[in-house]
Amino acid sequence: MVRSDLAASGVIFSIDTETGFQDVVLITGAYGLGETIVQGTVNPDEFYVFKPTLKKGCRSILQKKLGTKEIKMIYASEKKSSSTVINPVSLDDRNRFCLNDYEVLKLAKWTVIIENHYSRKAGYFKPMDIEWGKDGKTGELFILQARPETVQSQRDINILENYILLDKGNPIVIGTSVGSKIGAGLFTSSNP
């Protein structure tokens, strides 16, 4: 197993998840196991890399955004009843990126290779959704899983959608949005 509980992990998209722009790689990352990113319980670091100049060998990081990374999921000790536990992240770690520039560029290069492979195999542009992990014992980076991206790649690029929120209420949760759509639902508490 990759011991990313001792280092960091995250999700990569070979397309901008907000706009569908095809020339960037978006890498997200946080400390510990990646489940906190997948569940949306942690605000991860974000790195945007420009694919055209990356392919030419340039250091193509367009933007880095420091996430709050307040918690991390790690493997529990043998005495615990659960296989994982959630721990707080130290203030020092929260105030630094979970990846250095070299690691960001390495993951971006691998992403382009994976995207090119599946695009050739499909016969058309195939953006990817990839999970990565960094082993805390060896320092090595690993690609854990790759699958087709299923949101932006399915939308009609000739249609521009704009959503406007007409009424406002008290927020129940606060975090980084994924996309620009508006959702509504009923909040219920399991506590009486």
Side-chain angles (χ1 to χ4, degrees), residues 15-184:
I15 189 171
D16 181 47
T17 56
E18 294 290 320
T19 65
F21 183 55
Q22 298 178 8
D23 284 339
V24 293
V25 172
L26 167 60
I27 301 169
T28 63
Y31 298 110
L33 301 173
E35 188 64 22
T36 57
I37 294 175
V38 173
Q39 292 175 349
T41 57
V42 72
N43 183 9
D45 294 338
E46 293 181 357
F47 308 90
Y48 282 91
V49 180
F50 191 56
K51 287 193 265 186
T53 51
L54 178 72
K55 292 175 183 177
K56 293 179 180 179
C58 299
R59 295 177 54 87
S60 303
I61 299 173
L62 295 173
Q63 179 181 335
K64 299 191 303 188
K65 180 180 172 188
L66 189 65
T68 57
K69 305 179 299 290
E70 296 170 347
I71 59 170
K72 63 181 174 180
M73 180 182 286
I74 62 170
Y75 293 120
S77 65
E78 296 155 8
K79 298 173 186 166
K80 301 281 184 183
S81 61
S82 174
S83 60
T84 59
V85 294
I86 301 293
N87 283 348
V89 174
S90 73
L91 189 56
D92 284 345
D93 283 343
R94 290 177 59 194
N95 289 326
R96 78 172 130 251
F97 289 104
C98 66
L99 292 170
N100 62 41
D101 288 357
Y102 173 80
E103 293 166 329
V104 169
L105 294 170
K106 187 174 196 173
L107 287 171
K109 288 174 187 174
W110 289 351
T111 299
V112 169
I113 291 168
I114 292 166
E115 179 185 74
N116 288 341
H117 169 78
Y118 284 105
S119 294
R120 275 192 307 275
K121 204 165 179 64
Y124 56 89
F125 176 65
K126 192 91 164 159
M128 300 300 292
D129 174 346
I130 299 166
E131 293 180 17
W132 66 271
K134 180 178 178 179
D135 192 294
K137 289 188 174 187
T138 67
E140 293 176 280
L141 291 171
F142 293 89
I143 297 297
L144 307 174
Q145 175 175 296
R147 60 187 169 271
E149 188 276 341
T150 58
V151 177
Q152 289 296 335
S153 61
Q154 304 301 314
R155 87 174 184 43
D156 185 341
I157 62 172
N158 297 311
I159 297 174
L160 179 62
E161 295 177 321
N162 189 24
Y163 296 86
I164 300 171
L165 183 61
L166 300 175
D167 293 323
K168 295 192 179 201
N170 294 325
I172 296 171
V173 294
I174 296 173
T176 303
S177 65
V178 178
S180 59
K181 292 188 177 180
I182 298 171

